Structures are given as C-alpha cells and as structure tokens.
Amino acid sequence: MARSLEGCGAKMINKATYNRRSELTIFATIGAFILLRIATFAFDLNLSPFDCLMLGVLMAIGSFIWNFRPGLDLAVQAEQAKASSEDEFTRLFKLAAGCAFFVVLFVAGSAVVTLHPPVKHLEKAKLVAFLVPPFLAVFAPRIIAIFRLLADSYRRI
C-alpha cells in the first residue's frame, strides 16, 4: 500500500474538504438541469431523452476531470481501510462489488429511459438521462481508487 500512496502526504484528510468538490459538482449539475428546463420552456425547445443524455455526457466529462484526484482518492480509501475492523481485502471487495452494482444499475437505467422513453413520464426520462452521467463521473475517481487498492491487496495475498 505504501507504493500506491507515494506523494499523497501522510497527514489526516479532512472529509468536508475532500467531499466539497463532489458536492459542488452535484449542485452544479442540478442547477444546469434547472436552467435547461427553463430554456426548454422559454425557447420552446423540443429535447428528447437522447439529447439530454448527450448534454449529460458532456457535463460528465468536465466533472470527471474536475473531480479526478488519484492520489487523494487513494489516500482517503486507505485511511478508511485502516479505520475499519474488517480485513482489508474483504472490505475492498465488498466496496468494489457495491460500486459495480451501482454503475450497472445507473447505466442500465439510463439506457432504458434513453432507448425506450416512457410516453407518460417523458420529463422524468429526460431528468434521468441528464443526471446519470455527471453523477457517475463524480464517483468514478473513488471507484477507480477502490479497484486499484483491491488489486494491490489481491497481489499481496
């Protein structure tokens, strides 16, 4: 684990400071959707869920770049592993399985509402299609860190 945490600093990490970027990204994404709804109403735009998905993907690229701090993400996950009473590999395996389920659920839900939009709830389909990619991009760096630490832990076994 020392190899993967080089350059991260050995001091305690302030959780509020660490989570601030993620929170700001989520608020900005929700704000962007509200602005999109206002623009749709004001300019009489006819957006499909696929259009909303493409706008969400563009926002996801930016939010992933802004939230990507590999050294800090590894340090936070390692610090949480030290605080846990579970075996490191078991804890990381559970987190990785949960992350994989989370990603598959979000991607599948987004695909369903984009490819087969419900006629009754078209606005909800647009909401899901717009919000899923940026929300996944916010948590992707943490998921990457969990899988990197899981791989390191597996090599040590």
Side-chain angles (χ1 to χ4, degrees), residues 1 4-5 7-20 69-83 142 145 149:
M1 189 174 329
S4 58
L5 295 178
C8 298
K11 57 186 174 186
M12 293 291 287
I13 297 163
N14 185 352
K15 298 288 192 258
T17 304
Y18 173 70
N19 290 326
R20 188 170 297 131
R69 302 162 293 175
L72 186 60
D73 290 325
L74 282 172
V76 166
Q77 293 302 326
E79 185 178 297
Q80 289 176 353
K82 288 178 186 173
R142 297 174 191 201
L149 287 173

Side-chain angles (χ1 to χ4, degrees), residues 101-124:
F101 177 73
F102 174 74
V103 169
V104 167
L105 183 69
F106 269 48
V107 170
S110 182
V112 166
V113 300
T114 303
L115 299 175
H116 304 289
V119 177
K120 280 182 158 178
H121 307 288
L122 192 58
E123 297 308 316
K124 291 179 184 175

Side-chain angles (χ1 to χ4, degrees), residues 54-131:
M54 290 300 106
L55 291 171
V57 167
L58 288 174
M59 286 197 62
I61 293 168
S63 63
F64 179 78
I65 291 169
W66 196 53
N67 285 297
F68 190 64
R69 302 162 293 175
L72 186 60
D73 290 325
L74 282 172
V76 166
Q77 293 302 326
E79 185 178 297
Q80 289 176 353
K82 288 178 186 173
S84 177
S85 61
E86 275 187 307
D87 175 48
E88 180 186 9
F89 181 78
T90 305
R91 179 187 170 282
L92 289 170
F93 185 79
K94 287 178 183 178
L95 281 172
C99 290
F101 177 73
F102 174 74
V103 169
V104 167
L105 183 69
F106 269 48
V107 170
S110 182
V112 166
V113 300
T114 303
L115 299 175
H116 304 289
V119 177
K120 280 182 158 178
H121 307 288
L122 192 58
E123 297 308 316
K124 291 179 184 175
K126 291 177 185 178
L127 175 73
V128 169
F130 184 82
L131 294 181

